[in-house]
Amino acid sequence: DAGITQSPRYKITETGRQVTLMCHQTWSHSYMFWYRQDLGHGLRLIYYSAAADITDKGEVPDGYVVSRSKTENFPLTLESATRSQTSVYFCASSDPGTLHVDEQFFGPGTRLTVL
Amino acid sequence: LAKTTQPISMDSYEGQEVNITCSHNNIATNDYITWYQQFPSQGPRFIIQGYKTKVTNEVASLFIPADRKSSTLSLPRVSLSDTAVYYCLVVSQAGTALIFGKGTTLSVSS
């Protein structure tokens, strides 16, 4: 499928388990981002990546790990899930070559519940 | 990046024009004003961006005064499907974290 996809769309897990959320984009955009969205906080950046093998922390990185071995994929791993990580997670991508400055394209989101 | 302030919520009726104003007093010379739209259970979607004066596309218009300390998103003749959260952001270059505030929740009624 063209565009940006996320999987799974819904996930229920238990405290302490490791969970990996997948993100895949077909545009070969150089930048990719992970945000979480919680009621009362809007969207907050977790991690971002400027290119393959280059990642950097965002506003709320604790408890998360990312990797980017290929340009098109940017998985987010919760090493030991906690209830506070219950949220909706959005992946996004962008590229300097797009028409608008820093226009980011968002995936459909993954709703994660940690019991 | 400059902080933005916009109303928490607005109500409208179908067919009306809706104007959402955003203030960004500390906007820098190389900053652009950008608006995103988010429907329930979906990711945000870029709708318009401008630097100064007026920008119009098939979805909305964006008015930016000369001092650029505020901007107004104008949605002509809204319909029920325009019910969404609208975010005003300031961006300066590619690859930066978008700073989303709480946005403006627009509710359109029939």
Side-chain angles (χ1 to χ4, degrees):
Chain A
D1 292 334
I4 184 165
T5 57
Q6 295 183 234
S7 62
R9 293 294 314 278
Y10 302 91
K11 176 73 176 178
I12 299 175
T13 190
E14 295 178 338
T15 301
R17 291 190 179 267
Q18 183 180 81
V19 176
T20 296
L21 310 183
M22 304 301 293
C23 178
H24 175 79
Q25 51 105 355
T26 61
W27 297 302
S28 298
H29 283 174
S30 54
Y31 291 98
M32 295 188 74
F33 308 83
W34 275 106
Y35 295 86
R36 61 178 288 176
Q37 185 170 35
D38 306 291
L39 285 175
H41 287 281
L43 284 90
R44 293 180 292 174
L45 183 69
I46 305 171
Y47 269 96
Y48 66 103
S49 169
D53 297 322
I54 300 175
T55 62
D56 209 344
K57 296 178 180 179
E59 180 184 355
V60 288
D62 293 344
Y64 303 95
V65 174
V66 294
S67 62
R68 194 163 176 210
S69 58
K70 294 183 178 181
T71 299
E72 61 266 30
N73 296 323
F74 191 38
L76 175 74
T77 298
L78 287 66
E79 295 184 296
S80 178
T82 65
R83 292 193 181 88
S84 65
Q85 292 178 309
T86 292
S87 186
V88 180
Y89 291 84
F90 290 102
C91 179
S93 71
S94 72
D95 198 87
T98 55
L99 177 63
H100 301 103
V101 175
D102 204 21
E103 177 181 355
Q104 294 189 13
F105 299 84
F106 285 79
T110 293
R111 183 173 296 275
L112 175 68
T113 301
V114 182
L115 302 176
Chain B
L1 292 174
K3 180 181 177 180
T4 61
T5 302
Q6 55 185 119
I8 293 296
S9 64
M10 293 184 70
D11 296 313
S12 183
Y13 291 98
E14 284 189 294
Q16 290 189 333
E17 179 184 73
V18 171
N19 296 308
I20 306 174
T21 297
C22 177
S23 66
H24 25 79
N25 291 320
N26 297 321
I27 192 167
T29 303
N30 58 345
D31 288 341
Y32 288 75
I33 298 120
T34 306
W35 287 79
Y36 281 75
Q37 174 191 56
Q38 185 177 25
F39 296 115
S41 300
Q42 293 186 24
R45 179 177 75 110
F46 173 98
I47 50 175
I48 200 166
Q49 183 180 81
Y51 184 81
K52 60 181 179 181
T53 62
K54 176 184 174 182
V55 178
T56 297
N57 61 22
E58 66 279 4
V59 176
S61 294
L62 179 59
F63 299 91
I64 306 168
D67 67 4
R68 305 200 327 124
K69 293 184 182 299
S70 66
S71 59
T72 299
L73 175 73
S74 181
L75 305 171
R77 298 180 297 282
V78 294
S79 64
L80 296 176
S81 62
D82 292 314
T83 293
V85 180
Y86 293 82
Y87 297 95
C88 168
L89 298 89
V90 171
V91 300
S92 61
Q93 61 186 28
T96 57
L98 297 181
I99 308 298
F100 286 87
K102 296 179 180 173
T104 297
T105 299
L106 173 64
S107 299
V108 180
S109 304
S110 58

